[in-house]
Amino acid sequence: MADPKHPRHYDEAFKRQIVQLYENGKPAREIKDEYDISHSTLHRWFQGIRNSGSTKAADNRTPEQNEPVELRKRNRQLEMEVDVSEQAALIFARK
């Protein structure tokens, strides 16, 4: 299995190929063993394709699940803006 500290990333085409193998009748256990992909990852890909046509996590979240993600993203953006403003204030205060 992959190191949890260094997860592997798969491109969309590969994920779709794996899902196609499953849909064509290849057992999930064989796919898991052959490609060294965890059961939960395979299940997430299968469900994603079935539910939304995409394996991307963002495409498969409910609005309630997206809200904290969007709030964290906005918070990071605001923290960066504050940092830039503080640095600019220090530069202008020296002049």
Side-chain angles (χ1 to χ4, degrees):
M1 278 295 143
D3 180 2
K5 293 181 182 179
H6 304 287
R8 292 181 288 183
H9 298 281
Y10 304 96
D11 65 10
E12 186 73 13
F14 176 77
K15 294 175 187 180
R16 289 185 179 282
Q17 263 184 318
I18 295 298
V19 171
Q20 191 64 47
L21 286 173
Y22 177 74
E23 289 175 345
N24 288 339
K26 188 165 188 167
R29 178 177 296 280
E30 286 183 28
I31 295 170
K32 179 178 94 57
D33 294 342
E34 185 175 337
Y35 293 95
D36 193 28
I37 300 169
S38 72
H39 175 76
S40 61
T41 298
L42 287 174
H43 181 72
R44 191 173 57 248
W45 294 352
F46 301 153
Q47 286 296 108
I49 293 287
R50 190 175 302 134
N51 293 341
S52 71
S54 174
T55 61
K56 295 179 183 172
D59 295 339
N60 291 299
R61 290 189 203 115
T62 65
E64 292 80 19
Q65 292 170 322
N66 271 330
E67 185 177 15
V69 173
E70 294 300 321
L71 290 172
R72 283 192 294 273
K73 187 186 302 183
R74 179 69 175 141
N75 191 40
R76 281 193 305 273
Q77 179 183 355
L78 292 171
E79 286 173 346
M80 286 190 320
E81 290 175 11
V82 166
D83 288 344
V84 169
S85 296
E86 288 173 348
Q87 291 173 7
L90 288 174
I91 291 170
F92 286 119
R94 291 186 207 150
K95 291 185 178 185

